[in-house]
Amino acid sequence: MIAIGGIIGAGLFVGSSASIAAVGPAVIVSYLLAGLIVLLVMRMLTEMAVAIPGVQTFPDFARLGLGDWAGFMSGWLYWYFWVVVVAIEAIAGAAIIHLWLPMFDVWQIGIVLVAVLTGVNLLSTRSYGEFEFWFSSLKVAAILAFIVIAASYAFGLTSPSGPTFANLTIHDGFMPYGVLAVLAGVPSVIFALTGAEIATIAAAESSESEKTIARMSLTVAARIMIFYVLSIALIVSVVPWPVVVAGTSPFATALSTMEVPGAATIMNIIVLVAVLSCLNSGLYVTSRVLFGLAARGEAPKNLVTLNRRQVPARAIVVGSLFSYAALAASVLSPQVVFSFLVNASGATMLVIYLLIAFAQLRLRDRLQRDAPEQLTVKMWFHPWGAWLAISGMIGVLAAMAFSPARAAELAASLIVIFGVGISFVLHRTASRRERPSE
């Protein structure tokens, strides 16, 4: 449920509209390709988690495989990615609530949402898990209900005109913009699929952490196939794809096409639940990653402190404060500061995934040489499976570089990545200066 909470958010329920509008029905292939990359990365994490007991968080896998620089960079980049996501999801949720409570500004509602879920995370890890369980359960129920309703319509059981699968080809074909558009559509899709790796961080606080992670790859594959690929395939089967408007929920469009009463209200409620779930997960994961960095001396050491409920309260508060700052930027400088913060999160997850993939290749060779008995769960088609994922991710970054809509995101991301790299050099230099005095 934690993995579901990280994966399914506004990116599926609203953001998928932009992908459908840009690619057409072949967006199904874009989702399959992006899902394959995420699945391969998750399998690599599974192999390392089972083979190296006691280490679950993926920044630590990057550290073990490539060195301290990789652990430092992946940890801080991941923290940055999710504190920005918290702000984005807070704004998305606040915009929906604003429809019902117009007397309050969106930024005011966003502050309240972040404050409430910060309070939930401060209570205990169990309270976070309970909230995420119910949030995710509602999302799963909503998607499954949509799949049943849309499938019944697409197969002609409830459609007045019979099966509607002709929508996949009658409007300029299955690939109206060609193969390159399908590949260029992968970047926007892959960012919507990030979040499953949250389970590796949460598993560190589980009593059966290795077993939990070992089961993760197949369940993540099933979630991607069912919740994303199947639902998107049904949308473009039910609705003529030119009707889908970027920025408008394609799920709401499909429900309206099928004449489901109250479609807009239903989707607003579902999207609100989805964004609150992602907001909740974002606050959780930023605090744990920051806690891990502090424990290694790569963040202020006073962030290691736990409260009496055994949660890293200071790390949680720091993450929420950054999100408040991002919310303020969305009001004071939406076109400059906030746009930069959002764009700079674009390619960071791919860079983190690349670090994980290279770390897996190094650790696998090391384990095969020194402790082959620990490789009870293995990456598929080693080493070609890892290299396939690496090639796919590099291809996505190249597609971003040559896409006018994505080039700005890549440039902003590279600025942040370079900044984190400089921070590591400064941190290492300061650490070496301190050692002689110890």
Side-chain angles (χ1 to χ4, degrees), residues 5 16 61 109 196 200 208 216 250 256 263 291 307 310 313 319 341 396 402:
S16 54
F61 293 127
I109 301 172
T200 67
E208 297 182 333
M216 199 162 47
S256 298
F291 178 86
N307 65 12
Q310 297 301 298
L341 292 176
V396 170
F402 291 101

Side-chain angles (χ1 to χ4, degrees), residues 189-208:
V189 171
I190 199 168
F191 302 133
L193 294 176
T194 57
E197 70 288 333
I198 292 177
T200 67
I201 294 173
E205 298 181 63
S206 165
S207 59
E208 297 182 333

Side-chain angles (χ1 to χ4, degrees), residues 55-80:
V55 180
Q56 281 83 38
T57 61
F58 61 91
D60 287 335
F61 293 127
R63 188 185 305 276
L64 286 172
L66 301 176
D68 287 339
W69 69 269
F72 183 98
M73 291 197 66
S74 60
W76 276 111
L77 288 175
Y78 196 63
W79 180 86
Y80 174 85

Side-chain angles (χ1 to χ4, degrees), residues 309-344:
R309 297 183 182 88
Q310 297 301 298
V311 298
R314 293 177 181 176
I316 292 172
V317 171
V318 168
S320 66
L321 288 176
F322 189 94
S323 297
Y324 288 132
L327 280 170
S330 72
V331 177
L332 301 175
S333 184
Q335 300 302 321
V336 180
V337 178
F338 187 68
S339 293
F340 175 81
L341 292 176
V342 174
N343 288 339

Side-chain angles (χ1 to χ4, degrees), residues 405-417:
R406 292 284 178 179
E409 292 185 16
L410 180 61
S413 297
L414 291 176
I415 291 173
V416 171
I417 293 166

Side-chain angles (χ1 to χ4, degrees), residues 14-27:
V14 180
S16 54
S17 61
S19 300
I20 294 172
V23 180
V27 72

